Amino acid sequence: MISKKRRSVRCTRACLDQNREAPMTLQLINPESLPTPTTYTHVIVATGSKTVFVAGQEPEDVQGNLVGPGDLAAQAHQVFANLGRALAAAGAHPQQVAKITIYVAQHRPEYLPVIEQARATLFGDHKPADTVGGVQTLARPEYLIEVDAVAVIDG
């Protein structure tokens, strides 16, 4: 039997809309046989009746204008803010996100602290499973970062 570090997160009353009686649950698991990550969780088991898929959010304002040309920190903050707005539109909260994928143009390891700082503005201490992938370019060459998400909520 593989020993695991488990933590269950139940969405607080604030995560529930008036039509739901029971919260969704995310069980966060970091197996002891793997190194313990500081910024994400290796495995998440989600229970709930509705899955929300959020398309890659880009560093644009509400008018579609690029935010922070050439500035990864500004673009990362915009992308995570947009992700929060997209989740809210579906009735989801950041604490209900089970998985994110972060795409970074011309990724280098020194970009990670900048991305993590922006990520924390949306997720705080919540650590969804994640993948960070370096790509040559994104949909527009001036985009430096894009993030998509999967959330599980009771519906």
Side-chain angles (χ1 to χ4, degrees):
M1 177 196 251
I2 296 175
S3 178
K4 300 173 186 165
K5 297 175 191 172
R6 295 176 185 243
R7 184 171 67 117
S8 291
V9 178
R10 292 187 67 78
C11 204
T12 63
R13 197 74 178 135
C15 290
L16 302 174
D17 70 27
Q18 298 166 351
N19 298 324
R20 288 185 257 151
E21 296 178 9
M24 54 68 65
T25 300
L26 295 180
Q27 181 183 26
L28 288 72
I29 304 170
N30 282 314
E32 289 181 4
S33 58
L34 294 172
T36 301
T38 58
T39 59
Y40 64 94
T41 301
H42 280 296
V43 180
I44 295 186
V45 178
T47 60
S49 60
K50 186 188 279 186
T51 305
V52 178
F53 297 90
V54 180
Q57 296 302 297
E58 299 166 335
E60 294 180 341
D61 63 18
V62 69
Q63 291 83 26
N65 298 313
L66 176 67
V67 171
D71 183 344
L72 178 62
Q75 288 194 19
H77 281 281
Q78 184 67 40
V79 163
F80 283 104
N82 289 351
L83 181 58
R85 287 189 277 279
L87 289 165
H93 300 273
Q95 293 72 25
Q96 295 171 309
V97 173
K99 173 80 167 89
I100 62 173
T101 305
I102 304 169
Y103 304 93
V104 184
Q106 306 299 319
H107 177 63
R108 297 192 320 231
E110 57 266 25
Y111 294 167
L112 288 174
V114 172
I115 294 166
E116 290 307 321
Q117 184 179 26
R119 175 186 171 150
T121 62
L122 178 63
F123 291 112
D125 291 335
H126 178 57
K127 297 176 182 176
D130 79 10
T131 300
V132 178
V135 296
Q136 185 172 352
T137 188
L138 292 162
R140 288 178 40 192
E142 57 271 15
Y143 293 167
L144 302 176
I145 185 170
E146 184 173 334
V147 179
D148 65 27
V150 177
V152 178
I153 63 177
D154 284 339

